Amino acid sequence: MSKVLHDMQHIVTEVRTLIEQSKQQIAVSVNATMSLLYWHIGTKINEALPKGKRADYGKQMSLHCGDNWNLNMEHYFPKKTCEG
């Protein structure tokens, strides 16, 4: 095998490794961001609810979500996510 061919194969291997590492970093970042988003949403809902009313609120939210889901948000949070 010529040195040029060997060098090219080495470069291709390194590039593949870089791509895979980047994909892994992106996945970790997205998961962390989504977890934080859900935590903030939960905090907002929890702050808005009177104590002891969480179960009733969940039923109402499920009905409201199914009937009135905003199409702009459905792209990020599919309606099926809200269905029980």
PDB file of all heavy atoms in Angstrom, residues 58-76:
ATOM      1  N   GLY A  58     -54.198  18.214  36.229  1.00  0.00           N
ATOM      2  CA  GLY A  58     -53.695  17.305  35.210  1.00  0.00           C
ATOM      3  C   GLY A  58     -54.801  16.835  34.287  1.00  0.00           C
ATOM      4  O   GLY A  58     -54.621  16.762  33.071  1.00  0.00           O
ATOM      5  N   LYS A  59     -55.963  16.527  34.831  1.00  0.00           N
ATOM      6  CA  LYS A  59     -57.102  16.111  34.003  1.00  0.00           C
ATOM      7  C   LYS A  59     -57.546  17.250  33.094  1.00  0.00           C
ATOM      8  O   LYS A  59     -57.803  17.054  31.909  1.00  0.00           O
ATOM      9  CB  LYS A  59     -58.266  15.675  34.894  1.00  0.00           C
ATOM     10  CG  LYS A  59     -58.016  14.384  35.630  1.00  0.00           C
ATOM     11  CD  LYS A  59     -59.171  14.075  36.564  1.00  0.00           C
ATOM     12  CE  LYS A  59     -58.820  12.931  37.485  1.00  0.00           C
ATOM     13  NZ  LYS A  59     -59.840  12.723  38.501  1.00  0.00           N
ATOM     14  N   GLN A  60     -57.642  18.447  33.638  1.00  0.00           N
ATOM     15  CA  GLN A  60     -58.063  19.604  32.847  1.00  0.00           C
ATOM     16  C   GLN A  60     -57.040  19.911  31.756  1.00  0.00           C
ATOM     17  O   GLN A  60     -57.405  20.205  30.621  1.00  0.00           O
ATOM     18  CB  GLN A  60     -58.240  20.827  33.740  1.00  0.00           C
ATOM     19  CG  GLN A  60     -59.399  20.715  34.698  1.00  0.00           C
ATOM     20  CD  GLN A  60     -59.422  21.873  35.680  1.00  0.00           C
ATOM     21  OE1 GLN A  60     -58.708  22.858  35.525  1.00  0.00           O
ATOM     22  NE2 GLN A  60     -60.240  21.749  36.715  1.00  0.00           N
ATOM     23  N   MET A  61     -55.775  19.832  32.093  1.00  0.00           N
ATOM     24  CA  MET A  61     -54.718  20.123  31.132  1.00  0.00           C
ATOM     25  C   MET A  61     -54.753  19.117  29.991  1.00  0.00           C
ATOM     26  O   MET A  61     -54.585  19.472  28.824  1.00  0.00           O
ATOM     27  CB  MET A  61     -53.350  20.097  31.818  1.00  0.00           C
ATOM     28  CG  MET A  61     -52.221  20.394  30.895  1.00  0.00           C
ATOM     29  SD  MET A  61     -52.370  22.031  30.192  1.00  0.00           S
ATOM     30  CE  MET A  61     -50.712  22.579  30.330  1.00  0.00           C
ATOM     31  N   SER A  62     -54.997  17.860  30.326  1.00  0.00           N
ATOM     32  CA  SER A  62     -55.056  16.822  29.313  1.00  0.00           C
ATOM     33  C   SER A  62     -56.192  17.088  28.326  1.00  0.00           C
ATOM     34  O   SER A  62     -56.014  16.983  27.120  1.00  0.00           O
ATOM     35  CB  SER A  62     -55.237  15.466  29.985  1.00  0.00           C
ATOM     36  OG  SER A  62     -55.020  14.439  29.088  1.00  0.00           O
ATOM     37  N   LEU A  63     -57.346  17.470  28.832  1.00  0.00           N
ATOM     38  CA  LEU A  63     -58.485  17.791  27.963  1.00  0.00           C
ATOM     39  C   LEU A  63     -58.192  19.029  27.127  1.00  0.00           C
ATOM     40  O   LEU A  63     -58.426  19.061  25.930  1.00  0.00           O
ATOM     41  CB  LEU A  63     -59.750  18.005  28.796  1.00  0.00           C
ATOM     42  CG  LEU A  63     -60.318  16.760  29.463  1.00  0.00           C
ATOM     43  CD1 LEU A  63     -61.454  17.146  30.407  1.00  0.00           C
ATOM     44  CD2 LEU A  63     -60.781  15.762  28.425  1.00  0.00           C
ATOM     45  N   HIS A  64     -57.695  20.072  27.767  1.00  0.00           N
ATOM     46  CA  HIS A  64     -57.387  21.329  27.078  1.00  0.00           C
ATOM     47  C   HIS A  64     -56.334  21.099  25.995  1.00  0.00           C
ATOM     48  O   HIS A  64     -56.452  21.580  24.877  1.00  0.00           O
ATOM     49  CB  HIS A  64     -56.910  22.372  28.085  1.00  0.00           C
ATOM     50  CG  HIS A  64     -56.506  23.664  27.453  1.00  0.00           C
ATOM     51  ND1 HIS A  64     -57.419  24.564  26.979  1.00  0.00           N
ATOM     52  CD2 HIS A  64     -55.280  24.180  27.191  1.00  0.00           C
ATOM     53  CE1 HIS A  64     -56.781  25.594  26.456  1.00  0.00           C
ATOM     54  NE2 HIS A  64     -55.474  25.384  26.583  1.00  0.00           N
ATOM     55  N   CYS A  65     -55.320  20.355  26.358  1.00  0.00           N
ATOM     56  CA  CYS A  65     -54.227  20.100  25.430  1.00  0.00           C
ATOM     57  C   CYS A  65     -54.732  19.357  24.202  1.00  0.00           C
ATOM     58  O   CYS A  65     -54.367  19.683  23.077  1.00  0.00           O
ATOM     59  CB  CYS A  65     -53.148  19.279  26.133  1.00  0.00           C
ATOM     60  SG  CYS A  65     -51.702  18.966  25.147  1.00  0.00           S
ATOM     61  N   GLY A  66     -55.587  18.375  24.403  1.00  0.00           N
ATOM     62  CA  GLY A  66     -56.098  17.601  23.285  1.00  0.00           C
ATOM     63  C   GLY A  66     -56.984  18.402  22.361  1.00  0.00           C
ATOM     64  O   GLY A  66     -56.986  18.197  21.151  1.00  0.00           O
ATOM     65  N   ASP A  67     -57.742  19.349  22.902  1.00  0.00           N
ATOM     66  CA  ASP A  67     -58.708  20.104  22.103  1.00  0.00           C
ATOM     67  C   ASP A  67     -58.144  21.377  21.500  1.00  0.00           C
ATOM     68  O   ASP A  67     -58.588  21.830  20.451  1.00  0.00           O
ATOM     69  CB  ASP A  67     -59.920  20.489  22.964  1.00  0.00           C
ATOM     70  CG  ASP A  67     -60.728  19.272  23.354  1.00  0.00           C
ATOM     71  OD1 ASP A  67     -60.611  18.249  22.649  1.00  0.00           O
ATOM     72  OD2 ASP A  67     -61.459  19.340  24.341  1.00  0.00           O
ATOM     73  N   ASN A  68     -57.177  21.998  22.148  1.00  0.00           N
ATOM     74  CA  ASN A  68     -56.761  23.347  21.761  1.00  0.00           C
ATOM     75  C   ASN A  68     -55.262  23.489  21.511  1.00  0.00           C
ATOM     76  O   ASN A  68     -54.716  24.567  21.675  1.00  0.00           O
ATOM     77  CB  ASN A  68     -57.155  24.337  22.876  1.00  0.00           C
ATOM     78  CG  ASN A  68     -58.645  24.339  23.099  1.00  0.00           C
ATOM     79  OD1 ASN A  68     -59.403  24.530  22.164  1.00  0.00           O
ATOM     80  ND2 ASN A  68     -59.063  24.097  24.324  1.00  0.00           N
ATOM     81  N   TRP A  69     -54.611  22.437  21.103  1.00  0.00           N
ATOM     82  CA  TRP A  69     -53.158  22.499  20.971  1.00  0.00           C
ATOM     83  C   TRP A  69     -52.761  23.430  19.841  1.00  0.00           C
ATOM     84  O   TRP A  69     -53.222  23.329  18.716  1.00  0.00           O
ATOM     85  CB  TRP A  69     -52.605  21.097  20.732  1.00  0.00           C
ATOM     86  CG  TRP A  69     -51.128  21.027  20.956  1.00  0.00           C
ATOM     87  CD1 TRP A  69     -50.200  20.786  20.028  1.00  0.00           C
ATOM     88  CD2 TRP A  69     -50.434  21.211  22.182  1.00  0.00           C
ATOM     89  NE1 TRP A  69     -48.947  20.794  20.585  1.00  0.00           N
ATOM     90  CE2 TRP A  69     -49.056  21.060  21.896  1.00  0.00           C
ATOM     91  CE3 TRP A  69     -50.812  21.507  23.485  1.00  0.00           C
ATOM     92  CZ2 TRP A  69     -48.080  21.179  22.879  1.00  0.00           C
ATOM     93  CZ3 TRP A  69     -49.837  21.624  24.451  1.00  0.00           C
ATOM     94  CH2 TRP A  69     -48.493  21.456  24.145  1.00  0.00           C
ATOM     95  N   ASN A  70     -51.900  24.368  20.143  1.00  0.00           N
ATOM     96  CA  ASN A  70     -51.417  25.345  19.167  1.00  0.00           C
ATOM     97  C   ASN A  70     -50.519  24.660  18.144  1.00  0.00           C
ATOM     98  O   ASN A  70     -49.583  23.965  18.494  1.00  0.00           O
ATOM     99  CB  ASN A  70     -50.627  26.432  19.920  1.00  0.00           C
ATOM    100  CG  ASN A  70     -50.141  27.527  19.019  1.00  0.00           C
ATOM    101  OD1 ASN A  70     -49.754  27.294  17.885  1.00  0.00           O
ATOM    102  ND2 ASN A  70     -50.138  28.730  19.527  1.00  0.00           N
ATOM    103  N   LEU A  71     -50.800  24.858  16.865  1.00  0.00           N
ATOM    104  CA  LEU A  71     -50.040  24.177  15.818  1.00  0.00           C
ATOM    105  C   LEU A  71     -48.557  24.518  15.856  1.00  0.00           C
ATOM    106  O   LEU A  71     -47.711  23.696  15.522  1.00  0.00           O
ATOM    107  CB  LEU A  71     -50.618  24.516  14.444  1.00  0.00           C
ATOM    108  CG  LEU A  71     -52.009  23.956  14.167  1.00  0.00           C
ATOM    109  CD1 LEU A  71     -52.488  24.414  12.790  1.00  0.00           C
ATOM    110  CD2 LEU A  71     -52.007  22.449  14.246  1.00  0.00           C
ATOM    111  N   ASN A  72     -48.212  25.718  16.266  1.00  0.00           N
ATOM    112  CA  ASN A  72     -46.802  26.077  16.347  1.00  0.00           C
ATOM    113  C   ASN A  72     -46.073  25.252  17.397  1.00  0.00           C
ATOM    114  O   ASN A  72     -44.920  24.908  17.240  1.00  0.00           O
ATOM    115  CB  ASN A  72     -46.635  27.572  16.663  1.00  0.00           C
ATOM    116  CG  ASN A  72     -47.062  28.438  15.512  1.00  0.00           C
ATOM    117  OD1 ASN A  72     -46.915  28.068  14.355  1.00  0.00           O
ATOM    118  ND2 ASN A  72     -47.629  29.580  15.819  1.00  0.00           N
ATOM    119  N   MET A  73     -46.756  24.952  18.483  1.00  0.00           N
ATOM    120  CA  MET A  73     -46.141  24.165  19.540  1.00  0.00           C
ATOM    121  C   MET A  73     -46.156  22.676  19.216  1.00  0.00           C
ATOM    122  O   MET A  73     -45.327  21.929  19.693  1.00  0.00           O
ATOM    123  CB  MET A  73     -46.861  24.414  20.872  1.00  0.00           C
ATOM    124  CG  MET A  73     -46.654  25.817  21.410  1.00  0.00           C
ATOM    125  SD  MET A  73     -44.901  26.234  21.632  1.00  0.00           S
ATOM    126  CE  MET A  73     -44.500  25.184  23.009  1.00  0.00           C
ATOM    127  N   GLU A  74     -47.124  22.238  18.391  1.00  0.00           N
ATOM    128  CA  GLU A  74     -47.216  20.808  18.075  1.00  0.00           C
ATOM    129  C   GLU A  74     -45.945  20.311  17.391  1.00  0.00           C
ATOM    130  O   GLU A  74     -45.583  19.151  17.514  1.00  0.00           O
ATOM    131  CB  GLU A  74     -48.439  20.521  17.218  1.00  0.00           C
ATOM    132  CG  GLU A  74     -48.704  19.043  17.082  1.00  0.00           C
ATOM    133  CD  GLU A  74     -50.046  18.744  16.464  1.00  0.00           C
ATOM    134  OE1 GLU A  74     -50.854  19.663  16.267  1.00  0.00           O
ATOM    135  OE2 GLU A  74     -50.272  17.569  16.163  1.00  0.00           O
ATOM    136  N   HIS A  75     -45.264  21.199  16.684  1.00  0.00           N
ATOM    137  CA  HIS A  75     -44.001  20.823  16.057  1.00  0.00           C
ATOM    138  C   HIS A  75     -42.993  20.361  17.113  1.00  0.00           C
ATOM    139  O   HIS A  75     -42.246  19.415  16.911  1.00  0.00           O
ATOM    140  CB  HIS A  75     -43.444  22.008  15.267  1.00  0.00           C
ATOM    141  CG  HIS A  75     -42.074  21.772  14.716  1.00  0.00           C
ATOM    142  ND1 HIS A  75     -41.846  20.953  13.631  1.00  0.00           N
ATOM    143  CD2 HIS A  75     -40.859  22.218  15.112  1.00  0.00           C
ATOM    144  CE1 HIS A  75     -40.547  20.926  13.388  1.00  0.00           C
ATOM    145  NE2 HIS A  75     -39.934  21.690  14.263  1.00  0.00           N
ATOM    146  N   TYR A  76     -42.982  21.029  18.261  1.00  0.00           N
ATOM    147  CA  TYR A  76     -42.021  20.717  19.321  1.00  0.00           C
ATOM    148  C   TYR A  76     -42.549  19.689  20.301  1.00  0.00           C
ATOM    149  O   TYR A  76     -41.803  18.895  20.848  1.00  0.00           O
ATOM    150  CB  TYR A  76     -41.637  21.992  20.078  1.00  0.00           C
ATOM    151  CG  TYR A  76     -41.057  23.045  19.174  1.00  0.00           C
ATOM    152  CD1 TYR A  76     -41.796  24.153  18.791  1.00  0.00           C
ATOM    153  CD2 TYR A  76     -39.770  22.919  18.679  1.00  0.00           C
ATOM    154  CE1 TYR A  76     -41.268  25.110  17.946  1.00  0.00           C
ATOM    155  CE2 TYR A  76     -39.226  23.876  17.828  1.00  0.00           C
ATOM    156  CZ  TYR A  76     -39.983  24.962  17.475  1.00  0.00           C
ATOM    157  OH  TYR A  76     -39.451  25.900  16.640  1.00  0.00           O
TER     158      TYR A  76
END
